[in-house]
Amino acid sequence: MLASLSLVFLVGLSAAAIFQKLKLPRIVGMLATGIILGPYVLNLLDPSILGISAELRQIALIIILIKAGLSLNLSDLKKVGRPAVMMSFVPASFEILAYVLFAPLLLGVTRIEAAVMGAVLGAVSPAVVVPRTVRLIDEEYGTNKSIPQLIMAGASCDDIFVIVLFSTFANIAQGGHAKFTDFLSIPISVILGIALGAVFGFILSKLFETAYAHKHLVRNSMKVIIVLGVSFLLMTIETLVKNYVSVSGLLAVVSMACVLKLKSVESVSKRLSEKFGKLWLAAEVVLFVLVGAAVDIRYTLEAGLAAVGMIFIALAIRSAGVAVCLIKTPLNFKERLFCVISYLPKATVQAAIGSVPLSLGLPCGKIVLSVAVLAIIITAPLGAFGMDMSYKKLLAKSE
């Protein structure tokens, strides 16, 4: 495993640096490293590290979500209101509808199989989007209209909506039926996740405040470990109660960090944010190299041009969904265009559930996985490159 971790860090960082020199996003180099080192090309990664790949990717995602929560300003988040709620489900709904309408014609699948495919492909990747919106907040681009907060909030909830729909459509494809309670779990998951995180955030802020008041020196590094431990606990709670009630662990993590920032001394939250920013440097490499390693490149060859066409048709219709969400907002054309670009990348959810239809024995399993792999390869670099290259041109820097 140590040799594999060495390859992940050294080759991943080297490839990221090379791509950065070529004026391409670092993430592309990391994804390429994972694909090449992974089991479907050179097979240089130890099976033990691939066995815990999902957990390692989740830890990396938790780190950037904590950093995001510590960077968010709740008063700014309140401003975005309606558009943020709409961004959490409308673009994904448009994309799923695109697959239902066009996938049967282009890819020869049934309507319900097209719905399963759309649900797999419908989620935006928080792993690509969130670190870039955090950077926008840090550099104060678009913050005067709360654009990074809008994108971050929508992207964080988008996955919950899509995964619930995926479970429902997969059940129907296996001969089951849709249940109203499945759809009811979406708002319940969001509300309980935010409430649970807020409670833990308040407790942590009081703990740190009490330690400071009584001159018990709790170093910032120790606070980072405590916050990480609580975040892992929140994710564990989601797993433990999922058979009884739906709770979003990832939203709980963001909520906890937001409340911690709100209730803590400003210098404390700022230092914590800086610490998690440094942790992200290592976590980013692990996340994207292992996402790349989960990509079975063989399936891209089977997908064909029809799948490429389907992906771009779906992205165009998804972009129309983003535009609908931004109606009657103060955003100008350039700012709306940036929001559209930000909602293009796919990676994390597709790598996680792209192979599930195949493992369930659904006839569409192979083509769904093929399109999911192709979507990661096309849209993750496209979205990352688009955001990196356009934000200074499309967004105004706050004074």
Side-chain angles (χ1 to χ4, degrees):
M1 183 182 284
L2 291 178
S4 294
L5 283 173
S6 173
L7 286 173
V8 167
F9 283 116
L10 297 180
V11 181
L13 283 172
S14 300
I18 292 168
F19 274 75
Q20 192 172 28
K21 285 285 185 184
L22 297 172
K23 305 295 184 185
L24 294 170
R26 291 165 54 84
I27 177 185
V28 182
M30 296 175 200
L31 285 170
T33 299
I35 293 170
I36 293 166
L37 296 179
Y40 307 109
V41 183
L42 296 181
N43 195 23
L44 295 178
L45 298 180
D46 193 294
S48 58
I49 198 170
L50 294 173
I52 60 169
S53 172
E55 288 77 12
L56 291 173
R57 282 182 283 159
Q58 193 172 62
I59 290 170
L61 193 55
I62 285 169
I63 288 170
I64 191 57
L65 288 174
I66 294 171
K67 165 70 175 166
L70 290 169
S71 301
L72 271 175
N73 188 320
L74 289 179
S75 61
D76 288 340
L77 199 55
K78 287 178 185 176
K79 294 177 187 175
V80 294
R82 175 193 61 82
V85 173
M86 292 182 69
M87 291 278 273
S88 67
F89 71 93
V90 172
S93 299
F94 271 56
E95 185 162 7
I96 292 169
L97 179 62
Y99 278 96
V100 171
L101 292 176
F102 295 102
L105 301 174
L106 294 175
L107 303 175
V109 295
T110 65
R111 295 287 180 195
I112 188 59
E113 288 173 343
V116 171
M117 184 183 293
V120 170
L121 275 294
V124 69
S125 173
V128 178
V129 173
V130 172
R132 284 166 173 78
T133 53
V134 169
R135 185 176 66 193
L136 293 180
I137 293 171
D138 290 343
E139 295 182 16
E140 298 188 340
Y141 276 93
T143 50
N144 58 329
K145 294 184 182 177
S146 305
I147 294 168
Q149 292 88 338
L150 166 66
I151 295 168
M152 189 187 296
S156 299
C157 298
D158 171 273
D159 293 357
I160 303 165
F161 174 71
V162 166
I163 290 170
V164 169
L165 287 185
F166 170 72
S167 302
T168 304
F169 292 145
N171 182 48
I172 296 171
Q174 288 179 293
H177 301 282
K179 298 176 185 175
F180 175 72
T181 51
D182 293 338
F183 297 99
L184 189 63
S185 69
I186 297 172
I188 292 173
S189 177
V190 171
I191 293 167
L192 289 182
I194 292 172
L196 182 67
V199 169
F200 275 89
F202 183 78
I203 292 170
L204 279 180
S205 66
K206 288 299 178 184
L207 176 67
F208 295 156
E209 185 182 304
T210 303
Y212 182 80
H214 290 82
K215 307 299 181 186
H216 296 306
L217 185 62
V218 181
R219 297 178 62 183
N220 290 317
S221 300
M222 190 65 71
K223 290 173 185 172
V224 167
I225 295 170
I226 293 169
V227 171
L228 270 178
V230 171
S231 300
F232 297 159
L233 177 62
L234 291 172
M235 297 302 297
T236 305
I237 290 171
E238 176 188 4
T239 305
L240 291 175
V241 304
K242 67 180 180 182
N243 292 328
Y244 310 102
V245 65
S246 183
V247 179
S248 170
L250 292 178
L251 269 184
V253 170
V254 177
S255 174
M256 176 202 66
C258 283
V259 172
L260 190 56
K261 177 186 178 179
L262 183 68
K263 295 294 182 180
S264 298
V265 180
E266 186 178 348
S267 60
V268 172
S269 62
K270 186 177 180 181
R271 287 191 198 117
L272 279 175
S273 181
E274 289 170 356
K275 291 279 186 184
F276 277 102
K278 291 172 183 176
L279 267 182
W280 172 244
L281 294 175
E284 180 185 34
V285 184
V286 172
L287 176 61
F288 290 113
V289 171
L290 292 180
V291 166
V295 171
D296 189 342
I297 198 73
R298 296 171 299 178
Y299 284 103
T300 60
L301 301 176
E302 298 179 14
L305 290 176
V308 176
M310 182 66 247
I311 289 167
F312 279 103
I313 289 170
L315 288 179
I317 294 176
R318 178 188 187 84
S319 299
V322 175
V324 168
C325 298
L326 301 176
I327 291 173
K328 293 187 178 179
T329 62
L331 275 62
N332 60 37
F333 175 76
K334 287 184 177 180
E335 291 161 343
R336 295 181 191 216
L337 179 59
F338 182 80
C339 291
V340 167
I341 294 169
S342 301
Y343 258 56
L344 295 180
K346 303 172 187 305
T348 327
V349 173
Q350 290 71 29
I353 66 174
S355 61
V356 173
L358 187 62
S359 65
L360 292 174
L362 295 178
C364 63
K366 207 166 186 179
I367 186 65
V368 169
L369 180 56
S370 300
V371 177
V373 168
L374 201 58
I376 293 171
I377 293 170
I378 292 172
T379 65
L382 181 66
F385 183 74
M387 291 182 75
D388 290 345
M389 298 304 293
S390 68
Y391 76 96
K392 290 185 178 179
K393 298 174 183 175
L394 299 180
L395 301 179
K397 185 172 174 65
S398 299
E399 295 297 331

